Amino acid sequence: MLYGTVTEFCTPEECPVMTAGPRFEYLWEDGIKYKRPTKLSAPDYVDALMNWAQAILDDEAVFPNKIGVPFPRNFRDSVKTIMRRLFRIYGHLYSNHFDQICALGIEAHLNTSYRHFYLFITEVISLT
């Protein structure tokens, strides 16, 4: 993801809450460290999200890596939850950092990345 390109702009001071514009505020809950929806700065939210998603991707009970091992019944729900939360990063980038992204000259990369993300999630959703 292109989030790393705006980390000098997306700081706890500049983005004290994970938002996508004035109408959407995202609270973090992972059921382990954060058992209740918790307000985090955008960088902390993204870090928590990436660590949480990586833990799920590494969990062989959710993403089996051996031939013949079935996926769990809730596999699609798990993937949808991951994708929904990753989408929030795009929302934050577009609504809070698009000017910086344009100044860096990487808006075409962001748009292409988002387009691939969107096409992937619409394909996953259409499989259900």
Side-chain angles (χ1 to χ4, degrees), residues 4 12 28 36 55 60 63 70 72 113 122 127:
W28 182 253
R36 293 178 172 237
E60 291 184 31
F63 283 87
S113 174
T122 55
L127 294 176

Coordinates of all heavy atoms in Angstrom, one line a residue, residues 4 12 28 36 55 60 63 70 72 113 122 127:
G4 N 2.8 4.3 3.3 CA 4.1 4.6 3.8 C 4.6 5.9 3.2 O 5.5 6.5 3.8
P12 N 0.5 11.3 14.7 CA -0.5 11.4 15.7 C -0.9 12.8 16.0 O -2.1 13.1 16.4 CB 0.2 10.8 16.9 CG 1.2 9.9 16.4 CD 1.7 10.5 15.1
W28 N -11.0 1.4 16.7 CA -10.3 0.1 16.6 C -10.8 -0.9 17.6 O -10.9 -0.5 18.8 CB -8.8 0.2 16.6 CG -8.1 -1.1 16.5 CD1 -7.5 -1.9 17.4 CD2 -8.1 -1.9 15.3 NE1 -7.1 -3.1 16.9 CE2 -7.4 -3.1 15.5 CE3 -8.5 -1.6 14.0 CZ2 -7.2 -4.1 14.6 CZ3 -8.3 -2.6 13.0 CH2 -7.6 -3.8 13.3
R36 N -12.9 -3.2 23.3 CA -14.0 -2.3 23.0 C -13.5 -1.3 21.9 O -12.3 -1.1 21.8 CB -14.4 -1.5 24.3 CG -15.0 -2.4 25.3 CD -15.3 -1.5 26.5 NE -16.1 -2.4 27.5 CZ -17.3 -2.1 27.9 NH1 -17.8 -0.9 27.6 NH2 -17.9 -2.9 28.8
A55 N -1.5 -11.2 11.4 CA -1.7 -12.3 12.3 C -2.8 -13.3 11.8 O -2.7 -14.5 11.9 CB -2.1 -11.8 13.7
E60 N -3.0 -20.5 10.4 CA -3.3 -21.6 9.5 C -4.7 -22.2 9.7 O -5.2 -22.9 8.8 CB -2.3 -22.8 9.6 CG -0.9 -22.4 9.1 CD 0.1 -23.5 9.2 OE1 -0.3 -24.7 9.1 OE2 1.3 -23.2 9.3
F63 N -6.3 -19.4 7.2 CA -5.7 -19.5 5.9 C -4.8 -20.7 5.8 O -3.6 -20.7 6.0 CB -4.8 -18.3 5.6 CG -5.6 -17.1 5.2 CD1 -6.1 -16.2 6.2 CD2 -5.9 -16.8 3.9 CE1 -6.8 -15.1 5.8 CE2 -6.7 -15.7 3.5 CZ -7.1 -14.8 4.5
P70 N -9.3 -28.0 4.5 CA -10.4 -27.1 4.1 C -10.3 -25.7 4.8 O -9.7 -25.6 5.9 CB -11.6 -27.8 4.6 CG -11.2 -28.6 5.7 CD -9.7 -29.0 5.4
P72 N -12.0 -22.6 6.8 CA -13.1 -22.6 7.7 C -14.4 -22.0 7.2 O -14.3 -21.3 6.1 CB -12.5 -21.7 8.9 CG -11.5 -20.8 8.2 CD -10.9 -21.7 7.1
S113 N -3.7 1.6 -7.5 CA -3.7 0.7 -6.3 C -5.1 0.5 -5.9 O -5.6 -0.6 -5.6 CB -2.8 1.2 -5.2 OG -2.9 0.4 -4.1
T122 N -14.6 -6.6 -5.2 CA -15.9 -6.9 -5.9 C -15.9 -8.3 -6.4 O -16.9 -9.0 -6.4 CB -16.1 -5.9 -7.1 OG1 -15.0 -5.9 -8.0 CG2 -16.4 -4.5 -6.5
L127 N -18.3 -13.8 -5.2 CA -18.2 -15.3 -5.0 C -19.1 -15.8 -3.9 O -19.3 -17.0 -3.8 CB -16.7 -15.6 -4.6 CG -15.7 -15.4 -5.7 CD1 -14.3 -15.7 -5.2 CD2 -15.9 -16.2 -7.0

